[in-house]
Amino acid sequence: RRILQDNGFANTYDLVYVPRNPKRNMSLGYGFVNFLDPSHAAACIEVFSGRPFGDGNEDEPRICSVTYAKKQGASVMVDCIAAMEAKQQARARRRA
């Protein structure tokens, strides 16, 4: 959220989801943002596409790729997030 706010996107979204690896407590390298207006999404794509990300300690920082989601809307995203987390929990139980 902070990176969105620091780049002029404060108050332009109602949902941010960045899945994390619970064992490493690190991002899985992707996330979802539900913008309140399509123009905000277009601006985000313009600002972040191709931008290097990282904390400066990597040999090669990750390059950001931003696209529109196939499914749109906060309520749809919440349902998709719940399904993804359920799958992750099921995989974790199988591994244990």
Side-chain angles (χ1 to χ4, degrees), residues 3 7 17 25 36-37 39-40 61 64 68-69 76 83-84 89 96:
I3 198 160
N7 284 275
Y17 175 67
N25 195 30
L36 300 173
D37 186 272
S39 66
H40 301 139
C64 187
Y68 292 100
V76 172
M84 285 188 307
Q89 291 171 359

Side-chain angles (χ1 to χ4, degrees), residues 17-31 53-58 60 62 85 88:
Y17 175 67
V18 180
R20 300 185 70 77
N21 179 324
K23 290 183 180 179
R24 294 183 177 170
N25 195 30
M26 294 176 60
S27 162
L28 294 177
Y30 63 93
F53 274 88
D55 59 12
N57 294 325
E58 306 89 6
E60 294 183 36
R62 295 180 183 184
E85 288 182 346
Q88 287 176 346

